[in-house]
Amino acid sequence: MMIADEIFLLYTADSGGVFAQYRQFAVTGATVADLILAQRVELDGRKDPRISLLDSRPVGHPAHDAVLEYLHERIADKGKQVKLSQLLGVRSLKLEERTGRALHDAGILGLVGARFGGLVRPKYPVSNPLPEQQLRARLAHVLRGGEPTPADAVQLSILKGTSTVHRILRDEVRGMSRKEVKGAIESLETRGDIGPAIKRAIDMLVTAVMTPVMIGVVTSSG
């Protein structure tokens, strides 16, 4: 699974509804992280980084390919710059729905369609709990000193950035103090094969995801 798939599982309740706030931002940030790791995009060093499109070829995931198409249209076709903060607010990409449907097609989640003209959002109840159970076991291992992968670092950093670690990973952090959990996540950059480029990208992604969380405002474009 992609990082964005796993983030979606964490932010979605077993019954199919949204379990924690800011799922849109978390899924979008994780999607960008996937594309960075796939060497499709990169971020520059500005405070609000611009996204450079390195390769617009599809990666085979509906959400990620939608982002690549969106970026190609604006950057390659129209010569526009796309800020990371702008991408986080583009609801028309429907990244949550695309990611949820991909997990449904993989047999991991069910699908209850939107109702009342979209006023009631689609739900994605769990069909196969094993992938999320394995994910949670992996993150629990990392929090308690295990070697992290780039995916682990992205996921835990996003959870920390949206202040949802203790809500989403309640069982996984049981017995750990908040200080211990914070320290474990902050130490990820010195553990495992993360690398400075990925660490820098994670920092920028988390900062971008945190901005709407801190101000409590959602802006839409596109």
Side-chain angles (χ1 to χ4, degrees):
M1 288 192 293
M2 296 285 206
I3 299 173
D5 294 324
E6 294 187 328
I7 279 286
F8 188 92
L9 289 178
L10 293 173
Y11 279 77
T12 302
D14 289 350
S15 60
V18 178
F19 181 70
Q21 286 183 302
Y22 311 116
R23 188 176 68 180
Q24 176 196 347
F25 303 116
V27 169
T28 305
T31 300
V32 174
D34 280 323
L35 293 175
I36 291 171
L37 290 171
Q39 298 183 334
R40 294 297 200 272
V41 304
E42 66 179 8
L43 306 177
D44 69 16
R46 302 183 216 195
K47 184 175 181 180
D48 185 1
R50 273 61 171 174
I51 303 174
S52 296
L53 182 62
L54 304 178
D55 185 346
S56 62
R57 289 178 301 164
V59 297
H61 188 290
H64 299 65
D65 292 345
V67 172
L68 289 171
E69 183 178 348
Y70 174 87
L71 293 173
H72 186 273
E73 178 187 353
R74 279 151 183 77
I75 297 172
D77 294 346
K78 297 182 179 179
K80 295 183 177 180
Q81 291 185 329
V82 178
K83 298 178 181 179
L84 180 57
S85 62
Q86 293 173 326
L87 183 65
L88 286 168
V90 182
R91 287 187 175 276
S92 61
L93 286 172
K94 298 182 178 181
L95 299 186
E96 290 175 276
E97 289 86 347
R98 293 178 191 273
T99 303
R101 186 169 288 277
L103 289 164
H104 167 260
D105 292 345
I108 297 171
L109 298 180
L111 174 59
V112 179
R115 294 177 295 153
F116 304 113
L119 292 176
V120 177
R121 301 172 68 179
K123 291 187 176 182
Y124 305 92
V126 172
S127 295
N128 176 8
L130 183 59
E132 185 173 351
Q133 290 171 356
Q134 293 174 331
L135 166 63
R136 288 178 174 276
R138 194 182 81 217
L139 294 180
H141 175 67
V142 170
L143 285 168
R144 297 176 190 276
E147 185 171 305
T149 65
D152 301 329
V154 171
Q155 290 157 359
L156 289 171
S157 296
I158 288 177
L159 290 173
K160 178 176 176 289
T162 56
S163 300
T164 55
V165 175
H166 292 271
R167 174 167 168 73
I168 290 177
L169 299 181
R170 180 181 59 190
D171 293 337
E172 288 71 24
V173 301
R174 183 168 287 126
M176 298 179 69
S177 68
R178 289 184 177 271
K179 183 177 179 180
E180 288 173 329
V181 173
K182 180 182 178 182
I185 296 174
E186 290 178 347
S187 71
L188 291 174
E189 62 184 278
T190 61
R191 295 156 50 200
D193 186 22
I194 304 301
I198 297 301
K199 173 61 173 61
R200 178 173 161 272
I202 291 171
D203 287 343
M204 288 189 289
L205 282 168
V206 171
T207 298
V209 170
M210 283 177 63
T211 300
V213 173
M214 289 187 295
I215 65 176
V217 175
V218 178
T219 55
S220 299
S221 60

